[in-house]
Amino acid sequence: MSFSRLYSASNFNKNFVLQNDLPLQARAIRIINVFRLILSLVFVVFYIYADDLNLMGSENAPLFFSLALAYLLFSTTLLIITPLKSSAIIFFHPLQIVIDILFIIMMMYAAGGIQSGLGLLLIVTIVTASLVSNGRLALFYAAIATIGLLLEQSYRIIRWELAVSTYTQSVMLSLSCFATAWLAYSLARRVLQSEALASSRGIDLENLAQVNELIAQEMQDGVIVVDEDLNIRHHNSQATLLLSWANKSSDELSL
C-alpha cells in the first residue's frame, strides 16, 4: 500500500513538471509580444520624425507608414488574444515569427533597403524566437530571413539597375542570421537539457524523501528529527505512541 502511494506520487510529480512547461513558454511569448508592440510604436514614431530629419525618401514614405500601422495592429491583436488560449498561441508562434520577418523586410525596403539598418532587427527577432521555440526552428527562421533579404535586394537591383556587388551586404546579413540562429539553437538545447536534468533530480530527491519517511514510519523504534533550535521537524508513529503525543497537534509538540 505504501509503495503504491509512492508510485502515484512519482507519476503526479512527472505530470506536474510537464504541465508547467506550457505556462512558462506562454509567458515568454507574451514578453515577445510586448517587444513587438514597442517595436511597432517605434516604427510609427520614426515615420513621424522621418521628414524632419530627412531619414526617408518621399516615394516610399506612405508604404512605410502603412506597414507600420499594419504591424501595430498585428502586435496589438496578438497582445490581446495571447492570454485567452495559451496552447493555440504556442502552436501558431512560428507563423507569428515568419510574419515578423516579412514585416521587417518590407519596412526595410520602404526605408531605403539594406542601408537603412533595419535589417539588424532580423537578428534580434531570430534570436528571441529561437530561445522560446523549438531549437530546430532557428535555422528555419534564418532561411526565411535570407530568402526575403535576397529577394528584396534582387528587386532593387532589377528596378534601379544596380551593380551585382550590392548583394554583399545582404549576403553578410544572411550569414549573420544563420550564425546567430545556430548559437541560439545550441543555447536553447543546453537550457532544455539543464531543465530536464534539474526536474529529474528534483523528482528523485522527493521520491528519496518519501522512501525515507516510509522507512521511518515502519521502524519499531521512535524517531524524532529536530533542527538546531530543537524544533521538531519530523517524527514517526512509534515516537508519537511512546511520548503520548496522539492527542496533540504538530504545533504543540516540543522537547
Side-chain angles (χ1 to χ4, degrees):
M1 185 67 178
S2 300
F3 287 100
S4 63
R5 291 199 304 267
L6 177 62
Y7 179 76
S8 300
S10 176
N11 285 340
F12 173 77
N13 291 333
K14 293 179 181 179
N15 292 332
F16 181 75
V17 170
L18 291 176
Q19 290 173 1
N20 272 348
D21 290 341
L22 182 61
L24 288 175
Q25 193 176 15
R27 285 196 295 269
I29 291 177
R30 292 190 189 103
I31 295 175
I32 293 179
N33 288 338
V34 173
F35 169 75
R36 183 186 291 114
L37 178 64
I38 295 175
L39 182 61
S40 61
L41 290 174
V42 170
F43 284 148
V44 174
V45 174
F46 176 79
Y47 172 79
I48 294 174
Y49 293 99
D51 292 337
D52 298 335
L53 301 177
N54 295 323
L55 298 176
M56 189 185 309
S58 59
E59 179 182 357
N60 293 327
L63 175 61
F64 184 91
F65 183 63
S66 300
L67 291 172
L69 290 181
Y71 196 45
L72 179 60
L73 179 61
F74 173 70
S75 59
T76 304
T77 303
L78 288 180
L79 192 64
I80 293 174
I81 67 175
T82 294
L84 300 181
K85 290 185 178 180
S86 299
S87 58
I89 294 300
I90 292 175
F91 180 77
F92 289 106
H93 180 65
L95 178 60
Q96 299 171 21
I97 300 303
V98 171
I99 295 176
D100 286 334
I101 293 174
L102 295 179
F103 263 117
I104 292 175
I105 292 176
M106 289 187 294
M107 299 186 76
M108 181 187 70
Y109 165 77
I114 194 71
Q115 293 79 10
S116 64
L118 295 181
L120 295 177
L121 294 174
L122 292 172
I123 297 178
V124 179
T125 301
I126 291 173
V127 170
T128 54
S130 301
L131 292 176
V132 174
S133 305
N134 230 341
R136 287 172 292 184
L137 287 173
L139 299 179
F140 170 73
Y141 298 145
I144 295 297
T146 299
I147 294 173
L149 287 171
L150 295 180
L151 288 177
E152 188 271 340
Q153 188 61 30
S154 299
Y155 176 77
R156 296 179 67 85
I157 290 175
I158 294 174
R159 181 175 180 180
W160 285 284
E161 298 181 354
L162 302 177
V164 180
S165 59
T166 56
Y167 272 119
T168 304
Q169 289 181 320
S170 298
V171 172
M172 294 299 296
L173 183 57
S174 300
L175 293 176
S176 300
C177 290
F178 273 102
T180 53
W182 178 255
L183 291 176
Y185 165 74
S186 302
L187 179 60
R189 184 176 58 182
R190 291 186 179 183
V191 169
L192 290 176
Q193 291 175 350
S194 300
E195 289 181 353
L197 180 60
S199 299
S200 177
R201 293 287 175 83
I203 292 174
D204 292 340
L205 289 175
E206 186 169 352
N207 291 339
L208 181 60
Q210 292 175 354
V211 170
N212 292 334
E213 183 178 355
L214 290 174
I215 293 174
Q217 291 295 338
E218 298 296 331
M219 292 178 64
Q220 298 298 323
D221 299 326
V223 178
I224 300 176
V225 180
V226 298
D227 57 15
E228 58 184 5
D229 297 324
L230 299 181
N231 296 317
I232 297 176
R233 309 299 298 177
H234 175 71
H235 62 88
N236 64 354
S237 57
Q238 190 67 16
T240 302
L241 180 62
L242 293 174
L243 298 177
S244 302
W245 284 347
N247 298 324
K248 293 184 178 181
S249 62
S250 59
D251 296 333
E252 297 175 348
L253 299 181
S254 62
L255 294 179

